[in-house]
Amino acid sequence: MRELEEVIGYRFQNPGYLREALQHSSYANEARHGVRSNERLEFLGDSVLSIVVSEYLYTHYTHLPEGDLTKYRSILVCEKSLCGFARTIGLGQWLLLGRGEENTGGRDRDSILADAFEALIAAIYLDGGMEQARAFILAHVEPQMASASFSHNRDYKTALQEVIQRNREEKVTYELVDEHGPDHDKSFTVEVHLNSNVIGRGTGKSKKEAEQRAAKEALALMGL
């Protein structure tokens, strides 16, 4: 388990927490009496993960309303994301599984990996406190937030509008400045204007896509 500690960048004071985080229920059921599965840690880790991600989104995305914050949190803490985080650290190879799960590919099953990742979060939290858990979580979450898959789910036009509407004197408009290509493969270029000033420009296969890209560029210029 020392190798796993090196991978995750955390050394446990109580290695028992780490071992428990790796013990799947199938292993606990087959092992001697007193061996506990990682299910209780998974329960705690889910809550720690949620508060850390919620706090980060609340602090760094101050222009987003509650609905969007909830949407982005759900993207970051879903099974797909969690099993992806688990795979980046090769968590599957350290799992303790029962014979049935071992023989049926449980070591690489999405649900088992996602649950084990949450259990690992709880183990770090119990052993080292919230700051250690936060550092571990954000090391995985921040790159995900910067990824194309996360960006694809963001409504940049709405986000830009929410920033601008803080000042009622400001007005955002979108202007189509170029359209070219055959009908089956057109390309559109749109500028987004703040009053009379161009603050972003985007090109896409539809006007909607071009507007989103223009708004994204405008937000990037604002540091958002």
Side-chain angles (χ1 to χ4, degrees), residues 60-185:
H60 289 78
Y61 290 78
T62 56
H63 59 289
L64 292 182
E66 182 269 343
D68 285 342
L69 292 174
T70 299
K71 174 185 175 182
Y72 297 139
R73 182 179 61 192
S74 69
I75 294 170
L76 293 166
V77 303
C78 68
E79 181 180 287
K80 180 180 179 181
S81 292
L82 295 179
C83 68
F85 299 156
R87 288 190 175 99
T88 63
I89 60 175
L91 188 58
Q93 65 182 294
W94 284 286
L95 295 180
L96 299 171
L97 303 174
R99 288 186 296 274
E101 286 292 351
E102 185 72 69
N103 294 334
T104 57
R107 200 169 290 280
D108 194 47
R109 185 168 294 127
D110 286 358
S111 59
I112 290 178
L113 288 172
D115 292 347
F117 190 82
E118 289 183 324
L120 180 57
I121 289 172
I124 294 172
Y125 169 75
L126 291 172
D127 190 74
M130 180 59 86
E131 289 309 310
Q132 293 290 345
R134 180 181 287 107
F136 174 71
I137 291 167
L138 293 182
H140 295 277
V141 166
E142 287 183 312
Q144 175 78 355
M145 293 173 70
S147 71
S149 61
F150 184 83
S151 297
H152 178 72
N153 287 280
R154 187 176 181 188
D155 184 346
Y156 293 101
K157 284 187 66 177
T158 298
L160 179 61
Q161 185 63 40
E162 288 166 352
V163 172
I164 300 304
Q165 69 183 15
R166 296 173 186 173
N167 187 337
R168 296 184 179 181
E169 297 178 359
E170 306 288 1
K171 183 179 180 181
V172 171
T173 57
Y174 293 84
E175 181 180 338
L176 179 66
V177 295
D178 187 40
E179 177 181 342
H180 63 271
D183 289 342
H184 68 279
D185 190 28

Side-chain angles (χ1 to χ4, degrees), residues 29-45:
N29 292 338
E30 292 181 10
R32 64 186 183 277
H33 179 71
V35 174
R36 191 157 63 178
S37 77
N38 63 7
E39 291 176 343
R40 283 172 54 83
L41 286 177
E42 174 202 339
F43 165 78
L44 177 59

